[in-house]
């Protein structure tokens, strides 16, 4: 049995090896969402970015990262302009076009960020009596529309947690519907601003790979193997 035959048999029976060696570098599309993923010195940084790096390095897969504008991120991901993304399930409007990782790579906490510390907020409907700031391009883990037609009082849409908290500081609204860890980042910038975070829900973040990527099933098998054996979703930041 010659050496070339052995190599051929290895690739036939080992899909992970096939994906690793026959795949081009993948493109990860992400939005500026500190501390999960954000641009720093022309590179992507953050806790989810670190998870992606661990998984791909362990799997010997290569990728590059490109920051997407919040308002167009969902469109670009759906159109396949990037190869993979790390998002919550509600963000993917065409799930049949993607392969989803078996396990989440992280978990994020949704809640209301408010100036008043005496409110009773436990679910989205509790926000209908308040003046609200929403983040542009966010699905908030639901397929339902959060808008005036649904009974919400939307004062404005902010580009990110930074601009939302600044608007809250000037009392443009009562609360921001946002996420816990990015809120902590903004609170550190505004030590004089007393904010209360009311937890509403918690969502797993999965890695979604576009099915149009060459050898997509083999690549996702490889990713799943390395999430399963080495990467444990970390505690919430």
């Amino acid at each position: 049995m010659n050496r070339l035959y052995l190599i051929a048999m290895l690739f036939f029976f080992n899909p992970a090896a096939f994906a690793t060696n026959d795949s081009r570098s993948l493109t990860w599309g992400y939005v500026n969402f500190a501390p999960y993923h954000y641009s720093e010195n022309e590179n992507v940084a953050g806790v989810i970015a670190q998870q992606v790096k661990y998984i791909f390095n362990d799997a010997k897969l290569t990728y590059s990262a490109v920051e997407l504008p919040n308002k167009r991120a969902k469109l670009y991901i759906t159109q396949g302009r990037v190869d993979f993304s790390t998002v919550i399930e509600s963000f993917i409007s065409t799930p049949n076009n993607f392969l989803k990782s078996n396990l989440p790579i992280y978990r994020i906490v949704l809640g209301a960020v408010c100036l008043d510390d005496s409110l009773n907020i436990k679910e989205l409907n509790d926000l209908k009596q308040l003046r609200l700031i929403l983040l542009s391009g966010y699905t908030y883990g639901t397929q339902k529309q959060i808008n005036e037609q649904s009974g919400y009082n939307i004062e404005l849409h902010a580009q990110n947690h930074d601009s939302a908290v600044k608007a809250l500081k000037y009392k443009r609204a009562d609360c921001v519907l946002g996420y816990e860890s990015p809120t902590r980042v903004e609170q550190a910038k505004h030590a004089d601003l007393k904010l209360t975070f009311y937890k509403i829900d918690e969502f797993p973040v999965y890695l979604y790979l576009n099915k149009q990527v060459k050898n997509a099933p083999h690549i996702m098998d490889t990713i799943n193997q390395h999430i399963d054996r080495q990467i444990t979703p970390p505690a919430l930041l």
Side-chain angles (χ1 to χ4, degrees):
M1 189 178 293
N2 62 43
R3 185 177 179 183
L4 288 176
Y5 179 78
L6 286 173
I7 293 173
M9 293 298 287
L10 171 65
F11 275 81
F12 182 80
F13 288 109
N14 188 350
F18 180 76
T20 301
N21 289 277
D22 196 50
S23 302
R24 62 178 172 79
S25 179
L26 302 177
T27 303
W28 173 30
Y30 71 96
V31 297
N32 191 338
F33 192 26
Y36 303 125
H37 32 68
Y38 55 94
S39 298
E40 183 177 78
N41 298 325
E42 298 184 358
N43 292 306
V44 59
V47 290
I48 291 180
Q50 200 64 29
Q51 286 296 98
V52 172
K53 181 179 179 181
Y54 288 154
I55 293 167
F56 275 68
N57 284 352
D58 193 52
K60 295 181 172 57
L61 293 168
T62 60
Y63 70 97
S64 59
V66 57
E67 183 178 341
L68 305 176
N70 281 15
K71 286 186 176 181
R72 295 186 175 272
K74 189 170 184 175
L75 175 64
Y76 289 170
I77 290 169
T78 300
Q79 291 179 339
R81 297 196 189 188
V82 294
D83 297 320
F84 73 95
S85 56
T86 51
V87 295
I88 60 178
E89 290 182 90
S90 66
F91 197 84
I92 301 295
S93 56
T94 55
N96 290 336
N97 294 340
F98 296 87
L99 298 173
K100 185 180 82 170
S101 61
N102 290 339
L103 293 175
I105 63 171
Y106 210 78
R107 302 186 74 85
I108 58 177
V109 176
L110 174 71
V113 186
C114 306
L115 297 170
D116 190 339
D117 63 0
S118 62
L119 299 173
N120 183 24
I121 299 173
K122 295 182 179 178
E123 57 184 39
L124 286 174
N125 281 340
D126 294 333
L127 300 175
K128 289 185 176 180
Q129 306 304 316
L130 301 167
R131 297 178 303 136
L132 197 59
I133 297 172
L134 297 183
L135 298 167
S136 297
Y138 285 59
T139 60
Y140 294 117
T142 179
Q143 298 297 339
K144 298 178 181 179
Q145 293 293 316
I146 302 175
N147 53 27
E148 288 85 355
Q149 290 73 28
S150 302
Y152 294 92
N153 181 9
I154 311 302
E155 290 294 323
L156 60 93
H157 289 79
Q159 289 298 312
N160 48 46
H161 284 78
D162 176 54
S163 55
V165 168
K166 285 179 181 176
L168 199 61
K169 182 176 182 178
Y170 292 103
K171 300 183 179 180
R172 297 281 303 279
D174 301 311
C175 299
V176 174
L177 184 57
Y179 290 92
E180 185 175 26
S181 293
T183 298
R184 291 183 185 177
V185 171
E186 299 311 318
Q187 274 189 303
K189 298 178 185 177
H190 306 280
D192 59 326
L193 186 61
K194 185 180 179 182
L195 298 175
T196 299
F197 183 87
Y198 297 89
K199 180 179 176 179
I200 292 174
D201 212 336
E202 182 179 318
F203 305 112
V205 174
Y206 291 94
L207 189 149
Y208 285 87
L209 178 67
N210 194 296
K211 288 182 179 179
Q212 296 303 311
V213 172
K214 183 180 179 181
N215 301 324
H218 298 305
I219 294 172
M220 185 54 84
D221 283 345
T222 302
I223 289 170
N224 282 328
Q225 290 171 20
H226 291 273
I227 294 176
D228 289 346
R229 84 178 188 196
Q230 177 169 329
I231 307 301
T232 301
L236 293 165
L237 183 66

